[in-house]
């Protein structure tokens, strides 16, 4: 979340940033934040003054009694008792203001960097780069859901029977391809210096608040109500929360972690052609990259993550493009985000497969994730993450773009992992 210092010292800049993100009622919300903060500080000032007075009086009572000044001692005692009662109300008011302030701060999104373009939605994102191999398909090319049925790779109907729509069953070479991609992505991450983590796929509410998934305004998280636990929408949540309430040494940074997990998203409100086949699932596999870094190095870390994801798509021989997201299309928590999309030749459209984001200090402030400098000062870290990669649409693009009259060709980089060169 935004820090009070950010808001009080750079109010106009914060408002401009929130307007770029199209955050409704930004002026009213920030005015409320400042009001709650003023109330908290005013009560704190009076409380501190009263505590100092009560402490001074308490020390004087014994001396007054020794000097035989019983009336003055009794008056001091009475004043101390009076201050204690007043202080109870002051403390309650201060706690309420602090609680109201914290609750309100949780509802305010991160402020985007100046390099984030203006815009309302996906149509306003800026294409930074197009790359990869062009694809030529046969005239009778099929979309991946038909290829999956033809080669018995993925059974969508069986998934509906077992669970419901959005929970496919991978079979035979379809399951092998899925596992091959997971191992390929993890191996590539390790080669780039990431430490593999195998975290829980269920987290507590504190973890959800730490990375900004809670409060869940859009109802996208699966909630286990009896135990008050949440199925993770991404490995970002448990992996980043490793560093909640932690003070790191500057020499430890940057920290680079990767994790493969199943991910769960309700995808409330999704319907139509965009949800056909693997395009939008409730459960899917993903390899995530997470970095914890110093502010002055996070820009370089972000670029290194972008280069890593682009390298994966090049090795998979897929046509891709990189988008710089506009303010209106960015996530609640991101300060800067780039999306990677692969082109589906059979569907004739772009499919998002990765988002690589820099959150600045926004998550770190929620997490109380800090580092100690060489000068022994404590500062907030920057957090970053990115998909490397999400599997469903990668599988869809691989099946569609590599279909031939003989079968579905496997990219050379994957053959050592699949054990086969073609699906026929």
């Amino acid at each position: 979340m935004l820090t009070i210092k950010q808001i009080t010292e750079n109010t106009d800049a914060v408002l401009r940033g929130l307007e770029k993100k199209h955050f409704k009622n930004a002026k009213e919300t920030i005015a409320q934040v400042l009001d709650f903060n003023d109330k908290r500080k005013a009560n704190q000032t009076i409380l501190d003054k009263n505590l100092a007075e009560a402490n001074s009086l308490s020390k004087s009572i014994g001396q007054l009694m020794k000097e035989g000044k019983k009336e003055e001692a009794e008056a001091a005692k009475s004043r101390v008792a009076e201050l204690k009662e007043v202080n109870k109300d002051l403390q309650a008011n201060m706690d309420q203001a602090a609680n109201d302030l914290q609750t309100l701060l949780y509802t305010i999104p991160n402020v985007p960097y100046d390099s984030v373009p203006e815009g309302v939605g996906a149509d306003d994102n800026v294409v930074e780069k197009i790359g990869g191999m062009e694809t030529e398909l046969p005239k009778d090319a099929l979309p991946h859901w038909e290829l999956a049925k033809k080669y018995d790779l993925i059974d969508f109907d069986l998934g509906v029977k077992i669970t419901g729509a959005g929970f496919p069953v991978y079979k035979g070479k379809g399951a092998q391809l899925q596992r091959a991609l997971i191992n390929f992505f993890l191996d590539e991450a390790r080669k780039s210096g990431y430490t593999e983590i195998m975290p829980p796929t269920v987290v507590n509410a504190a973890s959800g608040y730490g990375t900004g998934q809670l409060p869940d305004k859009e109802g996208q998280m699966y909630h286990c109500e009896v135990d008050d636990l949440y199925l993770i929408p991404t490995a970002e949540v448990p992996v980043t929360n490793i560093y909640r309430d932690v003070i790191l040494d500057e020499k430890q940074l940057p920290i680079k972690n990767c994790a493969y997990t199943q991910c769960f998203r309700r995808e409330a409100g999704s319907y139509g052609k965009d949800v056909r086949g693997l395009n939008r699932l409730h459960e899917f596999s993903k390899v995530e990259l997470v970095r914890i870094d110093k502010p002055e190095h996070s820009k370089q870390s972000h670029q290194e993550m972008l280069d890593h994801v682009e390298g994966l798509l090049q090795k998979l021989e897929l046509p891709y493009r990189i988008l710089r997201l506009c303010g209106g299309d960015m996530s609640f928590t991101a300060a800067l985000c780039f999306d990677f999309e692969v082109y589906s030749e059979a569907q004739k459209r772009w499919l998002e497969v990765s988002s690589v984001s820099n959150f600045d200090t926004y998550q770190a402030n929620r997490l109380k994730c800090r580092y100690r400098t060489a000068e022994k000062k404590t500062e907030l870290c920057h957090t970053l993450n990115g998909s490397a990669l999400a599997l469903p649409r990668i599988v869809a693009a691989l099946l569609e773009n590599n279909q031939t009259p003989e079968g579905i060709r496997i990219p050379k980089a994957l053959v050592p992992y699949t054990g086969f060169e073609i699906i026929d």
Side-chain angles (χ1 to χ4, degrees):
M1 61 189 171
L2 300 180
T3 65
I4 287 298
K5 185 177 180 181
Q6 273 179 287
I7 295 172
T8 56
E9 294 184 2
N10 302 286
T11 307
D12 290 342
V14 167
L15 285 171
R16 285 195 300 272
L18 294 178
E19 287 170 6
K20 184 184 277 190
K21 269 204 171 177
H22 298 273
F23 177 60
K24 293 180 180 178
N25 304 316
K27 288 183 179 179
E28 294 85 347
T29 303
I30 293 302
Q32 265 191 298
V33 167
L34 296 172
D35 182 53
F36 286 141
N37 190 50
D38 288 343
K39 286 179 181 178
R40 180 185 61 81
K41 288 167 63 178
N43 281 281
Q44 180 74 68
T45 299
I46 300 170
L47 181 61
D48 289 344
K49 181 181 177 183
N50 286 356
L51 288 171
E53 182 183 350
N55 187 49
S56 177
L57 287 170
S58 296
K59 288 179 180 178
S60 71
I61 290 170
Q63 185 63 34
L64 289 169
M65 292 296 286
K66 284 180 183 180
E67 295 173 0
K69 299 177 180 178
K70 188 174 180 181
E71 288 186 12
E72 291 182 37
E74 290 301 324
K77 286 181 182 180
S78 178
R79 176 59 178 163
V80 169
E82 180 187 335
L83 286 170
K84 283 183 177 179
E85 288 303 313
V86 171
N87 289 349
K88 285 181 183 178
D89 291 337
L90 287 169
Q91 186 66 54
N93 292 339
M94 190 175 72
D95 290 345
Q96 185 63 53
N99 184 67
D100 290 342
L101 176 61
Q102 183 86 350
T103 301
L104 189 58
L105 286 172
Y106 278 138
T107 69
I108 301 172
N110 200 359
V111 172
Y113 287 158
D114 291 341
S115 59
V116 172
E118 298 280 355
V120 178
D123 291 341
D124 300 314
N125 295 333
V126 176
V127 178
E128 294 278 314
K129 183 178 181 180
I130 296 177
M133 302 176 66
E134 293 185 10
T135 305
E136 290 186 15
L137 298 185
K139 293 181 180 179
D140 57 350
L142 301 174
H144 69 271
W145 52 88
E146 292 186 23
L147 291 168
K149 186 174 183 180
K150 177 180 178 180
Y151 293 102
D152 197 23
L153 303 174
I154 307 166
D155 196 322
F156 295 100
D157 293 334
L158 188 55
V160 172
K161 173 186 174 181
I162 296 170
T163 309
F167 297 89
V169 175
Y170 297 85
K171 301 164 64 178
K173 287 188 175 179
Q176 288 176 260
L177 176 60
Q178 183 90 344
R179 182 160 43 84
L181 282 165
I182 292 166
N183 289 331
F184 170 65
F185 293 151
L186 287 173
D187 282 353
E188 290 297 307
R190 284 195 295 271
K191 289 175 187 175
S192 295
Y194 289 86
T195 299
E196 185 176 350
I197 304 291
M198 189 174 286
T201 52
V202 182
V203 296
N204 56 30
S207 294
Y209 275 99
T211 44
Q213 278 70 28
L214 293 177
D216 183 13
K217 292 182 179 180
E218 298 176 353
Q220 295 289 49
M221 294 181 75
Y222 283 99
H223 185 204
C224 309
E225 294 183 5
V226 173
D227 299 303
D228 193 23
L229 297 173
Y230 295 83
L231 302 186
I232 63 168
T234 164
E236 164 201 346
V237 183
V239 175
T240 311
N241 269 277
I242 291 171
Y243 306 97
R244 173 157 46 94
D245 298 319
V246 171
I247 299 178
L248 299 159
D249 190 277
E250 185 175 6
K251 294 177 182 177
Q252 293 176 263
L253 303 175
I255 288 172
K256 300 166 62 176
N257 289 331
C258 67
Y260 151 69
T261 63
Q262 291 296 97
C263 303
F264 304 87
R265 297 181 187 177
R266 292 187 61 244
E267 296 293 358
S270 298
Y271 60 91
K273 65 182 178 62
D274 288 348
V275 304
R276 289 289 305 270
L278 297 171
N279 286 343
R280 197 172 294 275
L281 302 178
H282 295 304
E283 179 181 0
F284 58 96
S285 302
K286 182 154 70 85
V287 172
E288 190 80 357
L289 305 180
V290 173
R291 287 205 189 197
I292 312 293
D293 210 342
K294 296 185 293 185
E296 62 266 29
H297 190 258
S298 72
K299 183 178 180 180
Q300 180 179 331
S301 274
H302 198 190
Q303 186 58 54
E304 289 173 4
M305 295 171 78
L306 293 169
D307 293 342
H308 180 85
V309 174
E310 184 176 7
L312 295 177
L313 295 175
Q314 290 171 343
K315 289 177 181 177
L316 291 176
E317 304 169 31
L318 289 171
Y320 65 89
R321 69 179 184 180
I322 306 172
L323 304 177
R324 183 188 294 262
L325 298 197
C326 69
D329 200 35
M330 285 172 62
S331 73
F332 185 84
T333 50
L336 177 65
C337 181
F338 292 86
D339 272 5
F340 286 79
E341 297 180 334
V342 294
Y343 190 69
S344 162
E345 187 64 43
Q347 297 181 66
K348 300 297 181 185
R349 68 191 190 96
W350 292 95
L351 306 173
E352 180 197 331
V353 294
S354 176
S355 290
V356 184
S357 302
N358 189 334
F359 303 100
D360 201 272
T361 60
Y362 189 86
Q363 287 183 333
N365 190 34
R366 285 174 170 244
L367 294 159
K368 293 183 174 59
C369 173
R370 295 157 290 176
Y371 72 99
R372 187 171 286 111
T373 67
E375 295 78 26
K376 305 301 180 185
K377 288 179 63 178
T378 301
E379 304 283 354
L380 286 171
C381 297
H382 278 199
T383 63
L384 307 93
N385 71 44
S387 312
L389 286 159
L391 272 71
R393 293 171 188 169
I394 288 290
V395 170
L398 285 174
L399 296 180
E400 292 177 0
N401 290 4
N402 291 309
Q403 57 185 298
T404 71
E406 292 75 34
I408 300 169
R409 183 184 64 84
I410 300 298
K412 290 180 181 179
L414 273 187
V415 172
Y417 293 89
T418 59
F420 52 83
E421 298 181 357
I422 195 166
I423 296 173
D424 53 18

